[in-house]
Amino acid sequence: MKSIFKPKLFSVLKGYNSQSFQKDLFAGIIVGIVALPLAIAFAVASGVSPEKGLITAIIAGFLISFIGGSRVQIGGPTGAFIVIVYGIVNQYGLDGLMISTFLAGIILVLFGLLRLGAILKFIPHPLIVGFTSGIALVIFSTQIKSAFGLDIDSVPSEFIEKWMCYFTNLDSLNVYAIAISVGTILISLYAGKLIPKIPGSFIAIITMTVLVQVLELPVNTIESIYGEIPNSISFDMPNIDWSLVHNYFQPALTIAILGAIESLLSAVVADGMIGGNHRSNTELIAQGIANIFSPIFGGIPATGAIARTATNVKNGGRTPVAGIVHALTLLLIMLVFGKWAKLIPMSCLAGILIVVSYNMSEWRSFRSILKGSRFDIIVLLTTFFLTVLVDLTVAIEFGIVLAALIFMYRMSKINGVMPVETETDEIQNYNLIPKEIEIYEISGPFFFAAAKRYQETLRELKHSTSVLIIRMRHVPFIDATGIRNFTEIIKNLSNRKTKVILSGVNKEVRLELKRCEIADFISEKDICDNFEEALKRAKEKI
């Protein structure tokens, strides 16, 4: 098997010892506990029964860790899929969801075999923030009924109509449900500071469920809405009408694209946390296989979960063994304690999902992009409003086309001629420069398609470098994706005590850099007009 398709598990087991297993075991158990309330909440919010979320976290979570391309990726149901799954279930029913998920799995496997992992990294950052923030707002809006305990038989699926329905039914709100929702939010946000090793959402579920049962509060629970929760996993094939299979290709493609983007984003974030390097195509194949088997056993779509992956890393998980332990932990909980999950109040799940939607919103990135280039703002807002008001599929498709058109427009303004250099000097022999100083040059637009390549190249910088000069005389513009990746580079270099100096930055790029976080790591004096000035500045920092 070629190394690019080799699962990470089989690469990291060499030299694996009992100490490594202890760390993975602890991290896996913690992540399993974190995943429990989220898996149930995501399933309920998606319009399916609670156990389907648990089954997804168990089956897909195990497969994604066992055959995936990341050392620490944790897979399972995620908030990003709520909107898609809910829409598919409403339109095509549960069998339609299972078929769509199965087809999405096949598409993801093909993505990996065709080595499209690198291409998916070219999705512009404003587009990702736009649809992620849009999904967060939609998730928040779907939880108002349960959070306020509103007595509504059927809530409209359209965003504006949904909120109109809420306002017209405010007279039916339940103060007990509101109290449980608020209590859940507060515990989820702050309990971790008092008890770091136990997830706040888990504490909230236990606390609120006990309170409701002891005080016999008049609120809806999982049992009152869905009945008993099965504590077993069974093989379940959908009824397929082959004449209608073509109807499922668009929802399947949406699941596949979103799943690919989410999983690779999560893997990239994890790489930054552990200094690793995931295998994107292997990861896509694993995600595909997980989504093929998940519906067969009664699950829903799955992908890499950024928050659970980060929890895994922070608790010491360093190999896929932690992800496998997480799946087995959930299986044990489902088999032994699953029957008690029916007592969880719906308003408690709503509180958990409101916290999830807040964490998904990326409001800091949203605000940062709004301060930047008007082109990035257009992509951001267009994707955001299309996600909220129209459809996620339309938002992604339109956003990608719009980003490509804007890039072509910006390139046309360059007129095929490089900008006038602000650097008038030219160093003929770099060997004369002190060995503590490293020099890199970025040439061409620092935009979404090239940003990742620049980031990966600069990440390979040797640790002995004291000062890094980055020459940018041939960079005509930088977009939001370039800024985001460049900021991550500068942060990592700063953590390594490597000082960065920029040389030959034009006015437009300099203005964009001043608007972002880079200004916190590079002073105005370290953004130089020419190389001679930058070299002088670098020698002062040795």
Side-chain angles (χ1 to χ4, degrees), residues 107-130:
I107 294 171
L108 281 165
V109 171
L110 291 175
F111 281 174
L113 292 176
L114 294 173
R115 304 185 186 184
L116 299 181
I119 295 177
L120 289 167
K121 296 176 185 177
F122 295 160
I123 305 296
H125 182 55
L127 189 152
I128 293 172
V129 173

Side-chain angles (χ1 to χ4, degrees), residues 397-418:
E397 293 171 350
F398 195 89
I400 291 174
V401 173
L402 182 61
L405 290 174
I406 287 176
F407 170 70
M408 288 188 285
Y409 170 78
R410 296 184 77 172
M411 289 298 293
S412 71
K413 304 301 285 186
I414 300 175
N415 295 322
V417 180
M418 294 304 297

Side-chain angles (χ1 to χ4, degrees), residues 142-156 162 164-178 218-220 224-225 346-347:
T142 62
Q143 298 310 302
I144 300 302
K145 175 187 173 182
S146 295
F148 283 80
L150 299 178
D151 186 13
I152 304 173
D153 292 331
S154 179
V155 179
K162 183 186 274 89
M164 291 176 63
C165 179
Y166 291 150
F167 284 120
T168 56
N169 286 275
L170 283 178
D171 57 336
S172 66
L173 60 81
N174 184 327
V175 292
Y176 297 106
I178 295 173
V219 296
N220 285 328
S224 65
I225 302 296
M346 295 298 293
S347 50

Side-chain angles (χ1 to χ4, degrees), residues 16 20 29 44 82 121 224 226 247 252 269 339 351-352 364 393 406 426 429 481 490 531:
Y16 194 73
S20 299
I29 293 173
V44 170
I82 289 176
K121 296 176 185 177
S224 65
Y226 296 97
N247 292 331
V269 171
K339 60 183 178 181
I352 290 172
R364 292 180 181 85
T393 307
I406 287 176
E426 191 66 45
N429 190 352
T481 310
I490 302 303
F531 185 77

Side-chain angles (χ1 to χ4, degrees), residues 20 22 113 148 173 242 267 341 367 447 515 541:
S20 299
Q22 288 176 6
L113 292 176
F148 283 80
L173 60 81
W242 294 103
R367 183 181 63 182
F447 72 114
R515 292 170 173 166
K541 291 178 174 287

